[in-house]
Amino acid sequence: MAINTTRDLFIYELGILGEMEISGRRVLDFLAHRVSDDLGQIVRRKQQECIQWNHNINSCAKAFGTSPLSTRSDTVEGMYGRFESFVRTNPSVDLVDQFAVDTLIRFLYLTIAAHKTLFDWAIIMGEAQCVQYLHANLVQKQESAAEIERYGHELGVRLLTPVARPA
């Protein structure tokens, strides 16, 4: 498909966003199998959310009378590779959990940024139905990021408290 208009670019970027969610599920699956049980449950919930977010992205594309183009998300694939490399260093379970939380936060913020851009474009283009789907995803992703950040902070406190020394 030739990209000649902003509408074409929107659809192209919507495809990238959809692929981010698909690739993200793969990353989260990899994380879920390597982290503690408590964190694994949280990660699996985020995987399910990715399915819903991708459904909303597809619904947004349908509102435009198209389907998202399948385009690879090299950035999310890079997150997968970075986590895989980290695991090969044989870190403790606690450190795997912390790195997994950090990876999940990065993934969420990457997709939040992509959603913000497309949400703004959908508003400008006057596609109200698409705006609703992207807004729902954006709000849910921001809530997810806040939840994971709180979990990461609590985990960090548990991990760092034993090594903190009085000044």
Side-chain angles (χ1 to χ4, degrees), residues 28 31-32 35-50 53 97 100-101 104 108 144 147-152 154-155 158:
L28 298 181
L31 268 62
V35 297
S36 66
D37 289 340
D38 289 345
L39 181 55
Q41 290 176 8
I42 293 169
V43 171
R44 284 183 193 86
R45 278 199 321 271
K46 298 307 159 198
Q47 279 183 287
Q48 292 304 310
E49 290 173 3
C50 283
W53 294 328
D97 278 4
V101 166
L104 182 51
L108 288 168
S144 273
E147 173 193 352
I148 299 303
E149 286 174 332
R150 282 189 300 275
Y151 183 90
E154 292 167 7
L155 179 61
R158 285 194 314 265

Side-chain angles (χ1 to χ4, degrees), residues 78-164:
M79 289 179 184
Y80 182 96
R82 183 176 56 216
F83 190 81
E84 186 176 45
S85 294
F86 178 75
V87 169
R88 277 192 238 121
T89 68
N90 296 317
S92 70
V93 173
D94 288 339
L95 293 180
V96 170
D97 278 4
Q98 185 65 57
F99 198 77
V101 166
D102 297 344
T103 300
L104 182 51
I105 290 169
R106 284 183 197 99
F107 167 70
L108 288 168
Y109 275 107
L110 172 68
T111 56
I112 286 169
H115 271 85
K116 282 182 178 182
T117 300
L118 293 176
F119 173 71
D120 186 49
W121 282 29
I123 290 171
I124 293 167
M125 291 188 289
E127 185 47 65
Q129 200 173 14
C130 186
V131 167
Q132 291 175 352
Y133 290 118
L134 293 175
H135 184 260
N137 280 6
L138 184 57
V139 169
Q140 291 169 5
K141 283 184 164 292
Q142 289 170 330
E143 290 169 355
S144 273
E147 173 193 352
I148 299 303
E149 286 174 332
R150 282 189 300 275
Y151 183 90
H153 176 76
E154 292 167 7
L155 179 61
V157 167
R158 285 194 314 265
L159 293 177
L160 294 173
T161 300
V163 289

Side-chain angles (χ1 to χ4, degrees), residues 30-74:
F30 188 69
L31 268 62
H33 286 92
R34 283 151 184 84
V35 297
S36 66
D37 289 340
D38 289 345
L39 181 55
Q41 290 176 8
I42 293 169
V43 171
R44 284 183 193 86
R45 278 199 321 271
K46 298 307 159 198
Q47 279 183 287
Q48 292 304 310
E49 290 173 3
C50 283
I51 293 169
Q52 179 59 47
W53 294 328
N54 195 47
H55 174 74
N56 286 352
I57 291 164
N58 289 333
S59 296
C60 174
K62 286 179 188 170
F64 270 86
T66 188
S67 60
L69 300 173
S70 180
T71 51
R72 190 176 156 183
S73 175
D74 293 330

Side-chain angles (χ1 to χ4, degrees), residues 8-20:
D8 296 341
L9 179 58
F10 179 87
I11 293 167
Y12 181 78
E13 290 203 29
L14 197 60
I16 292 171
L17 183 56
E19 183 55 38
M20 284 179 179

